Amino acid sequence: MAWNHRYTQPRPTQERLYVERVPVPDTTCPSCGSSDIARYPVANHFGPRMATKCQKCLHILAMDRPTDEDNWPPFRSVTYDWKASPGERAARDALLRELAAIDR
């Protein structure tokens, strides 16, 4: 897929937009034991992610960065895959250390 593909999508024709929740076969929820597991795109405070969640109790089994095949988010910055600058890395590392200290 070319870098400009995400910039040239037509206006949606549906009245309501939805995401497809793709079933994940041969997986069981460790929390409730349900086999109703699905993988779908979400947007959270870490940015766009692909969530693998139990549809019965909403337990999160995995939260992954989307790949090009996931086509999520529909609009992605050209700089999305660039490495963080030293200042961004330092701020992120400080935040992670602070969060780790709170969890103790």
Side-chain angles (χ1 to χ4, degrees), residues 26-42:
D26 303 326
T27 306
T28 304
C29 176
S31 181
C32 72
S34 173
S35 61
D36 187 12
I37 310 296
R39 184 172 187 268
Y40 52 95
V42 297

Side-chain angles (χ1 to χ4, degrees), residues 21-70:
R21 295 182 180 200
V22 179
V24 179
D26 303 326
T27 306
T28 304
C29 176
S31 181
C32 72
S34 173
S35 61
D36 187 12
I37 310 296
R39 184 172 187 268
Y40 52 95
V42 297
N44 68 17
H45 61 286
F46 289 119
R49 295 291 185 261
M50 294 301 292
T52 304
K53 296 174 77 171
C54 174
Q55 300 303 290
K56 183 176 178 185
C57 71
L58 299 180
H59 177 77
I60 300 171
L61 281 77
M63 192 70 70
D64 306 311
R65 286 188 65 143
T67 63
D68 283 339
E69 292 78 30
D70 293 321

Side-chain angles (χ1 to χ4, degrees), residues 2-104:
W3 70 269
N4 63 343
H5 175 76
R6 294 179 193 267
Y7 294 94
T8 58
Q9 295 186 357
R11 182 180 179 93
T13 56
Q14 306 95 329
E15 184 175 323
R16 294 177 184 243
L17 299 179
Y18 64 93
V19 295
E20 181 181 353
R21 295 182 180 200
V22 179
V24 179
D26 303 326
T27 306
T28 304
C29 176
S31 181
C32 72
S34 173
S35 61
D36 187 12
I37 310 296
R39 184 172 187 268
Y40 52 95
V42 297
N44 68 17
H45 61 286
F46 289 119
R49 295 291 185 261
M50 294 301 292
T52 304
K53 296 174 77 171
C54 174
Q55 300 303 290
K56 183 176 178 185
C57 71
L58 299 180
H59 177 77
I60 300 171
L61 281 77
M63 192 70 70
D64 306 311
R65 286 188 65 143
T67 63
D68 283 339
E69 292 78 30
D70 293 321
N71 197 28
W72 177 251
F75 174 85
R76 184 180 289 186
S77 168
V78 176
T79 62
Y80 180 77
D81 293 323
W82 289 10
K83 290 184 178 181
S85 70
E88 290 173 310
R89 284 194 303 269
R92 186 181 313 140
D93 291 345
L95 175 63
L96 291 175
R97 282 192 302 275
E98 184 178 323
L99 292 174
I102 292 171
D103 288 340
R104 289 183 199 161

